[in-house]
Amino acid sequence: MKKHKWFAVISAMVMAFAVAGCQIDSDRHEHSFSKDWTSDATDHWHAATCGHITEVSGKAKHTFGEYVSNNDATTEADGTKTRECSVCGYKDTVTDEGSKIIVPEFVFVKGGTVTGAAYTNNYKGVFIEGRTVTLSDFYMSKYEVTKAQYKAIMEDTSLNTLKITADPSYSTLKPKTYVMVAGEEDYERPVENVTWYDAVYFCNLLSQKEGLEPVYTINNPQTSTASISSAGASGTETVSIKYISSATVTADHTKNGYRLPTEAEWEYAARGGDPTKADWNYVFSGADTAEGVSYSSSKNAGLDSVGWYLYNSINGTTGDTQPSSGKQGYGTHQVGKKAPNRLGLYDMSGNVWEWCYDWSGTITTTTPADGATSGSNRVLRGGSWSNSASSASVSSRNSGSSPRSRGSGLGFRVVRPSSN
């Protein structure tokens, strides 16, 4: 009787353990596993379904594919990108800062008809006496195209099939020479060292990325390389950049994509967009000349509030000292650090010269609104950090530069038609 009693007790205990599903000796038990994967950030596995929560099958590291962008970042928010494990389908989503497109912010410019006048206290610009120019409404980028914006587009190899250098700026390649002012953001400085051909190419790529109609037809583009020496941690380093040195370019301004402004559009916007307002006749974009200072003077404190130039690039205030190589202020400045003009456009006077679409040449009363139809140089407007104040006048016209020209003061901004 005692033996039978103990046998019954033991049998009951075994049954109880079996029902609990967690007390069976795993060495004597064949585990069952889920067909579905369980995952964490690094591994995946099949979890036991027999109650042995520590037992897993097929545990391995994820096998990730390439990251795919979910959404592009804007000026207000970052984008995201996701990669997926090819075995278990686990998705890893991260913030996408490195490849984000920072779409330019735009200011609306109401068009109109301008009848040129005789200027006695300023340069003549393109609105000379006897010339009438009619401009349609358009949008102009609030800031000069930044290094971040340029880099984001040019790093997209599906667009940049010519493999143009994504970050060609001297301020990037030679930071010990072109020294950023403390407190500014490097990639919010304007892109520079770009040719006119690079600028129109960028416009087309940005249009494609945004699903717009490219304005420019670029035939037979030829690329060149340039070697730039820079002082690095291990001594002198040489970096090669690739740029477009020649092409046949035609424009269709009826397309809805991004483009360079015409010279007339540039000056019209720089003057504030309304010939009836006092600021139309200001020397600079958003500011007039300092009292008692000629518009042709190399130094002009009137420019201090709205632009960077040779005599204020060190600290923003006009002085006698010019910035020197390797010292703070020798180079471009973060966009938007000075005051805008009445339209809300920044840095139209100073910082970097801005490529316009037009061929350079003498303006006459019969010159079309889009400028000369041929020539050897393309228009640059606005002056730069390394030029005198007179170059930053809203109406100062230089002789232009070869469209293959590059330099630490050559940049651009973009426009779009208002109908889109």
Side-chain angles (χ1 to χ4, degrees):
M1 292 295 294
K2 291 182 179 180
K3 182 176 181 180
H4 177 73
K5 182 179 180 179
W6 281 111
F7 177 80
V9 171
I10 292 172
S11 297
M13 291 175 63
V14 170
M15 289 296 293
F17 292 153
V19 171
C22 61
Q23 301 297 323
I24 301 173
D25 185 349
S26 61
D27 292 335
R28 298 173 180 268
H29 172 70
E30 184 176 347
H31 300 294
S32 58
F33 298 96
S34 172
K35 293 181 179 180
D36 297 325
W37 289 103
T38 299
S39 304
D40 61 19
T42 58
D43 303 296
H44 53 254
W45 61 87
H46 295 291
T49 58
C50 59
H52 288 88
I53 59 175
T54 60
E55 298 298 327
V56 298
S57 174
K59 186 171 183 178
K61 297 292 183 183
H62 292 306
T63 304
F64 285 118
E66 297 293 326
Y67 277 112
V68 176
S69 177
N70 301 317
N71 58 288
D72 291 324
T74 67
T75 54
E76 289 79 28
D78 292 322
T80 60
K81 58 184 178 181
T82 298
R83 59 181 181 173
E84 185 173 334
C85 176
S86 60
V87 177
C88 72
Y90 175 83
K91 293 182 178 180
D92 172 38
T93 300
V94 297
T95 299
D96 188 12
E97 291 184 358
S99 61
K100 67 183 178 182
I101 292 181
I102 307 173
V103 178
E105 296 180 69
F106 285 90
V107 169
F108 175 72
V109 182
K110 179 67 177 175
T113 298
V114 181
T115 300
Y119 295 100
T120 58
N121 62 341
N122 205 338
Y123 298 102
K124 293 181 179 180
V126 299
F127 302 114
I128 63 172
E129 186 175 14
R131 185 188 187 202
T132 298
V133 178
T134 299
L135 299 173
S136 299
D137 300 346
F138 61 95
Y139 287 96
M140 174 173 274
S141 57
K142 182 184 293 187
Y143 308 107
E144 294 159 333
V145 173
T146 66
K147 296 200 292 183
Q149 291 165 342
Y150 191 84
K151 187 171 185 283
I153 290 297
M154 291 304 185
E155 281 187 331
D156 188 337
T157 55
S158 65
L159 295 171
N160 182 12
T161 56
L162 293 178
K163 304 296 189 293
I164 300 305
T165 298
D167 192 0
S169 299
Y170 275 104
S171 59
T172 298
L173 301 177
K174 304 185 73 171
K176 292 187 177 181
T177 299
Y178 299 89
V179 181
M180 182 177 65
V181 169
E184 296 187 8
E185 295 291 334
D186 180 49
Y187 276 92
E188 292 304 310
R189 300 161 84 181
V191 67
E192 28 89 358
N193 199 31
V194 292
T195 68
W196 181 89
Y197 298 114
D198 295 336
V200 297
Y201 182 60
F202 170 89
C203 289
N204 270 10
L205 300 194
L206 183 58
S207 296
Q208 293 174 39
K209 186 71 176 182
E210 293 293 300
L212 302 173
E213 301 166 324
V215 170
Y216 301 108
T217 299
I218 304 174
N219 289 322
N220 194 32
Q222 303 296 309
T223 61
S224 298
T225 58
S227 296
I228 297 176
S229 297
S230 175
S234 58
T236 301
E237 301 173 352
T238 300
V239 179
S240 292
I241 65 167
K242 188 176 184 181
Y243 61 95
I244 303 176
S245 53
S246 69
T248 300
V249 180
T250 55
D252 182 351
H253 287 179
T254 67
K255 301 297 186 182
N256 66 2
Y258 298 95
R259 59 179 177 84
L260 297 179
T262 65
E263 186 178 15
E265 287 174 330
W266 188 96
E267 185 174 328
Y268 181 82
R271 286 177 175 272
D274 189 343
T276 69
K277 302 295 186 182
D279 59 355
W280 179 267
N281 292 310
Y282 284 176
V283 170
F284 307 113
S285 183
D288 208 353
T289 184
E291 185 176 355
V293 180
S294 168
Y295 65 88
S296 60
S297 176
S298 61
K299 291 196 293 184
N300 195 325
L303 182 52
D304 287 348
S305 64
V306 295
W308 300 97
Y309 78 111
L310 184 62
Y311 288 98
N312 76 2
S313 190
I314 296 173
N315 60 17
T317 302
T318 294
D320 295 328
T321 305
Q322 299 179 15
S324 56
S325 176
K327 301 295 184 180
Q328 179 174 285
Y330 190 81
T332 56
H333 292 262
Q334 178 179 339
V335 299
K337 299 296 283 186
K338 295 286 190 175
N341 72 358
R342 186 167 50 81
L343 290 174
L345 297 167
Y346 292 82
D347 298 304
M348 294 291 281
S349 290
N351 214 5
V352 292
W353 289 100
E354 298 178 12
W355 286 114
C356 294
Y357 174 71
D358 311 38
W359 290 107
S360 178
T362 302
I363 298 293
T364 69
T365 57
T366 59
T367 302
D370 287 354
T373 56
S374 62
S376 57
N377 290 342
R378 294 286 183 173
V379 171
L380 286 164
R381 294 296 298 266
S384 81
W385 65 271
S386 62
N387 292 100
S388 65
S390 58
S391 296
S393 168
V394 295
S395 53
S396 176
R397 302 187 69 241
N398 64 20
S399 59
S401 291
S402 164
R404 66 174 290 154
S405 296
R406 299 175 296 104
S408 62
L410 300 186
F412 66 104
R413 74 176 70 219
V414 297
V415 299
R416 279 196 62 200
S418 68
S419 58
N420 297 278

